[in-house]
Amino acid sequence: MTDIKTLVPKLPSAAIRRYRTTPGEKTLQRLDSLIVFFDSISTLRDSTIPGKDVLIALLQRQGEATIASTAVANGRATLLVACQIAKGTDRFDQLERCRKAAATACAGRPNRVGIAVLGTAVNEQTLMEDAAYALLLAPFRLPKYTGKRSPAAKFPDISLYTETRPNTSAVLALARGNSLARWLTAMPPSHLDGYGYRAIAEHFAENNGWR
């Protein structure tokens, strides 16, 4: 019988830091990916984000509602991901766009990802929290019982470039709780019985100092 403790997933964990500045070329040297949310093409065009001209060309060709990405020629090949969140975008659509942007930013298993918001058409703090939440969920892996095991989840550290004060503790707690709930609901009854629940509780107690 498989020891359920060996199946317990790696839950989201990341250092989330806030910087009261706009990302520039020196900033990109420290990032593997940068997600740039913008409310309009004109806002992106007026910004100082490196690589914006390539992003604008891609967005205009694909349609502004899509996500565009390009690698910056900076020695680190930082991936720039641009996503429009226009005025009037509802919360569900905003979360879905954050999810897609996060998936693109995390495709290369980055060590550090930045988030920047351009324009004033949306609530910047809420968007920062939604994007950070999406970045914490993107690398999470559900259990796999057959075939080759998937690589362990790699959660990047997150840099928030904002004057606002996102509640990062709440975002991290929500991402961890959501991931654990998804993992539990994906478990088959043959694994998640009374013994399984107890083993899981013991595992988290041992690793988190619970009593």
Side-chain angles (χ1 to χ4, degrees), residues 1-210:
M1 181 178 178
T2 302
D3 183 352
I4 197 168
K5 290 185 180 180
T6 65
L7 300 176
V8 173
K10 181 179 180 182
L11 296 180
S13 178
I16 306 177
R17 300 181 177 88
R18 182 175 69 100
Y19 300 90
R20 299 173 63 183
T21 183
T22 300
E25 291 188 10
K26 289 185 178 180
T27 303
L28 293 189
Q29 294 287 352
R30 301 191 294 271
L31 297 174
D32 296 303
S33 300
L34 173 66
I35 302 175
V36 180
F37 295 98
F38 63 97
D39 56 8
S40 68
I41 287 290
S42 61
T43 299
L44 182 58
R45 183 178 292 112
D46 293 340
S47 74
T48 58
I49 298 292
K52 63 181 182 181
D53 293 336
V54 175
L55 289 173
I56 290 171
L58 289 171
L59 288 162
Q60 290 178 328
R61 184 161 62 244
Q62 299 172 2
E64 292 185 22
T66 65
I67 293 173
S69 62
T70 185
V72 179
N74 62 352
R76 188 162 181 162
T78 302
L79 182 66
L80 281 182
V81 182
C83 178
Q84 184 179 27
I85 306 289
K87 183 177 181 180
T89 301
D90 62 48
R91 186 71 181 282
F92 179 84
D93 194 16
Q94 177 169 300
L95 285 165
E96 179 62 14
R97 295 190 189 196
C98 286
R99 183 191 66 79
K100 291 179 179 179
T104 301
C106 290
R109 294 172 64 85
N111 292 312
R112 189 176 179 189
V113 178
I115 303 170
V117 176
L118 306 177
T120 58
V122 297
N123 185 307
E124 183 174 332
Q125 179 174 325
T126 300
L127 180 51
M128 281 282 175
E129 292 172 349
D130 288 350
Y133 177 69
L135 278 175
L136 290 166
L137 291 183
F140 182 72
R141 298 289 181 266
L142 289 173
K144 188 176 181 181
Y145 307 104
T146 59
K148 187 177 180 180
R149 295 283 292 273
S150 300
K154 181 179 177 59
F155 299 99
D157 288 337
I158 301 172
S159 299
L160 306 178
Y161 296 92
T162 180
E163 294 279 354
T164 67
R165 292 182 175 275
N167 189 341
T168 56
S169 296
V171 168
L172 182 56
L174 184 61
R176 290 173 65 85
N178 178 294
S179 299
L180 179 58
R182 288 173 58 205
W183 181 77
L184 288 171
T185 56
M187 294 288 287
S190 59
H191 287 76
L192 198 57
D193 51 14
Y195 167 80
Y197 270 115
R198 178 174 178 176
I200 292 170
E202 289 176 347
H203 170 85
F204 283 106
E206 292 169 0
N207 289 273
N208 294 277
W210 298 350

